[in-house]
C-alpha cells in the first residue's frame, strides 16, 4: 500500500514538475509553453546554475564584469570555472558557469536580478544581447510594463532569468541541478550531452523533447545534472548542417540534332496544349456564372411580393405542405434571408417532430428535436414578429461556435407562429453532458468548451457592430458537437439585445442576480461576462446553476481568510467528483478565480471577454 502511494506521488510530482522546450526565439513576441518554466507554490527555492558566454561587445569579457552582471562574488566564479584571475580576458564565446538562486514566483520559476541601463537601447537588445537569451524579450517587457519600446539610460529593470528546480520525480532519479543553457547556432543534443557528461535521453526527457528533436538558436534548454556542474570545454560545437545537395555529374555535350529537334517540337506542342486548357477554363467559368445568374433570377421571381406562394416546400425533401393565400414574404424579409435559408412546409415540421410529440421530441420550452433528411435538427417555435430579428442576426454573423440556422417555416393558416430550424449538435446541451455519469466530461474537454464559449462571446462583443449582448448564456444554451467543441444557441432572440440599448437593468442569470448600473455600450456586455462566470462554475463543479446562490457561496473561500492548504482542500471538495484527480490543481484554481472575477456584483470590476480569452488561451 505504501509503495502504491509512493508511485502515485512520483507520478503526480513528475506531471506537475515537467518542463517544456520553447522553440520560438528570444525576440519572439509570442508566449508559448516553455517560454517560462512553470512551478507550483509548494516548491521550495533552490541553488542552481546557468551558462553565460564571454562577450566583448557588451563589455563582459572577464569574470569581474560577468559577476557584476549577475550580482555574484567573482571568487565564486573563479573556483567554479577554474580561471586564474577575475581580470583575465576570456576568449570570445568561452562558456562560464554562474550560480543563481532560483525560486517560484507566482506560477513561474525565476532568478530575479536588477539591471541598470547604461545607454539607450531596447528590450530585445537587453534580453537577447546582454543576457544572451536567458529570458525572452516579451518576458522582460511584461515584468517592466511601465517602460516604452525604447529603454532610456539610467532606467533600472527587473530581470527574471529562466531557471528551474528539480521536481519530485527528478529528485527521485537523483537529479540535483537543472542548469539553464542558451542554445547557439551549431549546438545540438548530442554534443551538449557530451559537454556535461550525461545521456542524451536524460537531456531530452528534462525538456519534454522527442528523439531526434531539433533545438534552435536563441532558445534555452535545461541540463539535468546529478552532481556539481563541470563543462567539458574540449567538446566542439556541432557544425551547422550542410545543404543536402546531390553530387553533380559532368555530362558531355553532344551534337545530336535529332534530339534537339525533338525537344523543340515537344515544347511547341506543350505550349499549344496549355493555351487550349486556359481557353477551356475561361469558357467553363463564364458558363458557371451564367448558370448561377439564371438560378438567382429564378429564385427571386418565385419569392416576389407579387407572387404569393400556394405551397412552401423544402428543397431538401421536396415535400409540400399546406399554405395560405396570405403567405407572402415581404421584400424586406427576403432581403434579410439573403437566399441562404430553406423554406420548409408545416408538414415537414410535423413529420420531423412526430406531430410535436412532447414525450419524445420536446427538449425545452417551445423547442423540439427532430430528423429532416436523416439530419438531427432543433426546431424552435416563436412568434412571427420575433422571427425577423433572429434571421436578421444570423445573416450578419458567421462563426464556427454558433449553432447554425438551417431554415424557416411559417404557420399553417396565418403568421401567428413560425418555426426556425437549427442544427442540433450530436452531444446535446452542456448541462446534459455535465449530468451524464456514464460518459463523464474530462477536464481537458471542459477547458476547451470554456475557451470556445469565450471565443464566440468575444466575437459578439468586439467583432460585429454594434456590439451584441447575448443575455441568455447558460449551460442549456451551449451545445456540444461530436468532437466536444462548444456552440452557442439562442442568438438573436428577444432576450439578446444590442449593447447600446441596455440601460439600468437588474438581470437574473442562471439563478444569480447580476445587478447592472446605467451603462454605456462598452459596459453592457458585462451581463454576458457574469453569465459566463456561472458557466465556468458549472464546468468546475458539475453542479447546475439553478441551485441559486449555492455556487457563488461555494467559492467564497477564494476571497481570503483560509490558509493555503485549506484553500486547496476546499477547492478540491468543490470540483466535480467525477473528475477524481484527472486535473491540474493550478488550472482549476485559475478557472475558479476567473469565475469569481466574472460574477463580481460591480459590473465594472468584471473582466472583459478579451481578458478572459487571453487567460483561457494558455490552457488549451
Amino acid at each position: 500500500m505504501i509503495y502504491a502511494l509512493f508511485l502515485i506521488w512520483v507520478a503526480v510530482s513528475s506531471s506537475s514538475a515537467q518542463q517544456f522546450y520553447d522553440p520560438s526565439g528570444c525576440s519572439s513576441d509570442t508566449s508559448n509553453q516553455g517560454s517560462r518554466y512553470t512551478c507550483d507554490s509548494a516548491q521550495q527555492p533552490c541553488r542552481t546554475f546557468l551558462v553565460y558566454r564571454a562577450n566583448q561587445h557588451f563589455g563582459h569579457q572577464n569574470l569581474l564584469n560577468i559577476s557584476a552582471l549577475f550580482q555574484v562574488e567573482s571568487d565564486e566564479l573563479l573556483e567554479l570555472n577554474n580561471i586564474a584571475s577575475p581580470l583575465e580576458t576570456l576568449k570570445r564565446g568561452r562558456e562560464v558557469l554562474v550560480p543563481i538562486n532560483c525560486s517560484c514566483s507566482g506560477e513561474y520559476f525565476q532568478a530575479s536580478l536588477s539591471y541598470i541601463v547604461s545607454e539607450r537601447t531596447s528590450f530585445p537588445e537587453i534580453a537577447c544581447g546582454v543576457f544572451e537569451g536567458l529570458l525572452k524579450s516579451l518576458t522582460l517587457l511584461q515584468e517592466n510594463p511601465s517602460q516604452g519600446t525604447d529603454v532610456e539610460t539610467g532606467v533600472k529593470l527587473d530581470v527574471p532569468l529562466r531557471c528551474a528546480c528539480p521536481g519530485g520525480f527528478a529528485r527521485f532519479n537523483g537529479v540535483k541541478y537543472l542548469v539553464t543553457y542558451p542554445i547557439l547556432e551549431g549546438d545540438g543534443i548530442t554534443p551538449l550531452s557530451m559537454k556535461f557528461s550525461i545521456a542524451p535521453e536524460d537531456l531530452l526527457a528534462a525538456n519534454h523533447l522527442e528523439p531526434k528533436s531539433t533545438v534552435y538558436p536563441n532558445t534555452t534548454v535545461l541540463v539535468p545534472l546529478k552532481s556539481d556542474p563541470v563543462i567539458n570545454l574540449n567538446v566542439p560545437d556541432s557544425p551547422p548542417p550542410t545543404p543536402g545537395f546531390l553530387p553533380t555529374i559532368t555530362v558531355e555535350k553532344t551534337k545530336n540534332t535529332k534530339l534537339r529537334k525533338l525537344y523543340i517540337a515537344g515544347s511547341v506542342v506543350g505550349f499549344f496544349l496549355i493555351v487550349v486548357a486556359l481557353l477551356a477554363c475561361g469558357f467553363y467559368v463564364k458558363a458557371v456564372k451564367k448558370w448561377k445568374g439564371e438560378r438567382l433570377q429564378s429564385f427571386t421571381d418565385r419569392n416576389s411580393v407579387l407572387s404569393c406562394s400556394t405551397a412552401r416546400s423544402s428543397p431538401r425533401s421536396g415535400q409540400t405542405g399546406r399554405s395560405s393565400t396570405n403567405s407572402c414574404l415581404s421584400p424586406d424579409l427576403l432581403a434579410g434571408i439573403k437566399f441562404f435559408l430553406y423554406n420548409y412546409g408545416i408538414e415537414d415540421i410535423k413529420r420531423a417532430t412526430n406531430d410535436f410529440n412532447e414525450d419524445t421530441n420536446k427538449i425545452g420550452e417551445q423547442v423540439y428535436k427532430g430528423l429532416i433528411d436523416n439530419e438531427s435538427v432543433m426546431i424552435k417555435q416563436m412568434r412571427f414578429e420575433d422571427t425577423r430579428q433572429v434571421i436578421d442576426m444570423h445573416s450578419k454573423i458567421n462563426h464556427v461556435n454558433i449553432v447554425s440556422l438551417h431554415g424557416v417555416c411559417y404557420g399553417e393558416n396565418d403568421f401567428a407562429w413560425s418555426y426556425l430550424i437549427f442544427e442540433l449538435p450530436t452531444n446535446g446541451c452542456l448541462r446534459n453532458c455535465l449530468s451524464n455519469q456514464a460518459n463523464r466530461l474530462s477536464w481537458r474537454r471542459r477547458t476547451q468548451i470554456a475557451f470556445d464559449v469565450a471565443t464566440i462571446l468575444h466575437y459578439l462583443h468586439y467583432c460585429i457592430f454594434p456590439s451584441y449582448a447575448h443575455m441568455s448564456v447558460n449551460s442549456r444554451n451551449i451545445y456540444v458537437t461530436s468532437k466536444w467543441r462548444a456552440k452557442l444557441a439562442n442568438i438573436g432572440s428577444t432576450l439578446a439585445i444590442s449593447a447600446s440599448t441596455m440601460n439600468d437593468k437588474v438581470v437574473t442569470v442562471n439563478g444569480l442576480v447580476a445587478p447592472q448600473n446605467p451603462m454605456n455600450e462598452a459596459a453592457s456586455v458585462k451581463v454576458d461576462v457574469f453569465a459566463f462566470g456561472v458557466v465556468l462554475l458549472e464546468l468546475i463543479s458539475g453542479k447546475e446553476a439553478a441551485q441559486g446562490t449555492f455556487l457563488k457561496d461555494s467559492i467564497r473561500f477564494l476571497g481570503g481568510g483560509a490558509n493555503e492548504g485549506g484553500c486547496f482542500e476546499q477547492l478540491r471538495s468543490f470540483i466535480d467528483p467525477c473528475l477524481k484527480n484527472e486535473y491540474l490543481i493550478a488550472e482549476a484554481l485559475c478557472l475558479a478565480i476567473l469565475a469569481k472575477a466574472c460574477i463580481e456584483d460591480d459590473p465594472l470590476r468584471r473582466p472583459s471577454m478579451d481578458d478572459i480569452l487571453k487567460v483561457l488561451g494558455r490552457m488549451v
Side-chain angles (χ1 to χ4, degrees), residues 32 195 233 323 378 434 444 448 453 466 523 571:
N32 303 316
K195 278 186 181 181
L233 299 176
S323 64
M378 179 168 49
L434 291 171
R444 186 53 54 205
Q448 182 63 61
V453 176
L571 177 61

Side-chain angles (χ1 to χ4, degrees), residues 54-329:
N55 189 331
Q56 296 180 358
H57 178 71
F58 292 101
H60 303 127
Q61 69 273 24
N62 57 47
L63 290 189
L64 187 63
N65 294 332
I66 294 175
S67 63
L69 177 65
F70 291 97
Q71 299 159 25
V72 296
E73 294 294 332
S74 59
D75 291 342
E76 192 173 3
L77 293 186
L78 288 174
E79 181 179 355
L80 190 61
N81 294 278
N82 195 23
I83 296 174
S85 169
L87 296 176
E88 177 184 339
T89 300
L90 303 178
K91 181 182 176 182
R92 182 177 178 271
R94 205 281 197 188
E95 294 176 339
V96 176
L97 281 167
V98 179
I100 55 172
N101 294 318
C102 185
S103 60
C104 183
S105 176
E107 57 181 317
Y108 301 112
F109 282 117
Q110 66 181 45
S112 300
L113 301 179
S114 60
Y115 176 74
I116 298 177
V117 179
S118 58
E119 59 182 15
R120 194 171 188 267
T121 183
S122 63
F123 282 109
E125 187 73 11
I126 296 172
C128 309
V130 175
F131 288 96
E132 298 180 351
L134 290 168
L135 78 163
K136 296 183 74 168
S137 59
L138 177 62
T139 305
L140 187 61
L141 177 61
Q142 292 171 343
E143 198 73 9
N144 301 273
S146 61
Q147 303 299 323
T149 305
D150 294 327
V151 188
E152 301 297 333
T153 303
V155 171
K156 184 177 181 181
L157 299 178
D158 295 324
V159 182
L161 299 180
R162 279 194 270 207
C163 65
C165 298
F169 184 69
R171 291 196 301 271
F172 173 73
N173 282 333
V175 175
K176 190 175 180 181
Y177 303 108
L178 291 173
V179 178
T180 307
Y181 185 91
I183 299 295
L184 284 184
E185 185 74 32
D187 281 331
I189 295 297
T190 300
L192 186 53
S193 62
M194 293 172 62
K195 278 186 181 181
F196 289 92
S197 302
I198 62 172
E201 294 77 13
D202 294 341
L203 184 58
L204 292 170
N207 295 277
H208 201 68
L209 289 170
E210 298 294 331
K212 299 183 180 180
S213 294
T214 302
V215 290
Y216 299 93
N218 299 317
T219 62
T220 64
V221 295
L222 292 173
V223 182
L225 299 180
K226 297 181 181 180
S227 60
D228 291 345
V230 176
I231 301 178
N232 184 356
L233 299 176
N234 295 321
V235 177
D237 294 334
S238 299
T242 55
F245 296 126
L246 294 175
T248 57
I249 301 176
T250 305
V251 180
E252 295 183 0
K253 294 183 179 179
T254 62
K255 297 183 179 180
N256 193 331
T257 56
K258 290 184 178 180
L259 188 60
R260 184 182 303 172
K261 291 179 180 179
L262 183 61
Y263 287 156
I264 295 174
S267 300
V268 172
V269 172
F271 177 75
F272 176 76
L273 291 176
I274 291 174
V275 172
V276 171
L278 290 175
L279 290 174
C281 289
F283 284 122
Y284 174 76
V285 171
K286 186 175 181 181
V288 168
K289 287 184 178 179
K290 182 178 180 182
W291 176 75
K292 286 185 177 179
E294 291 174 352
R295 287 280 307 271
L296 185 62
Q297 184 62 38
S298 173
F299 183 89
T300 305
D301 293 342
R302 287 199 306 268
N303 293 280
S304 171
V305 66
L306 299 177
S307 55
C308 298
S309 60
T310 58
R312 294 184 295 276
S313 62
S314 163
R316 294 185 175 187
S317 63
Q319 301 296 326
T320 303
R322 298 172 58 184
S323 64
S324 167
T325 56
N326 295 324
S327 57
C328 303
L329 302 182

Side-chain angles (χ1 to χ4, degrees), residues 577-595:
C578 292
L579 292 171
K580 300 180 180 178
N581 288 325
E582 298 176 8
Y583 58 87
L584 295 175
I585 190 65
E587 287 191 359
L589 180 62
C590 180
L591 279 189
I593 292 174
L594 182 61

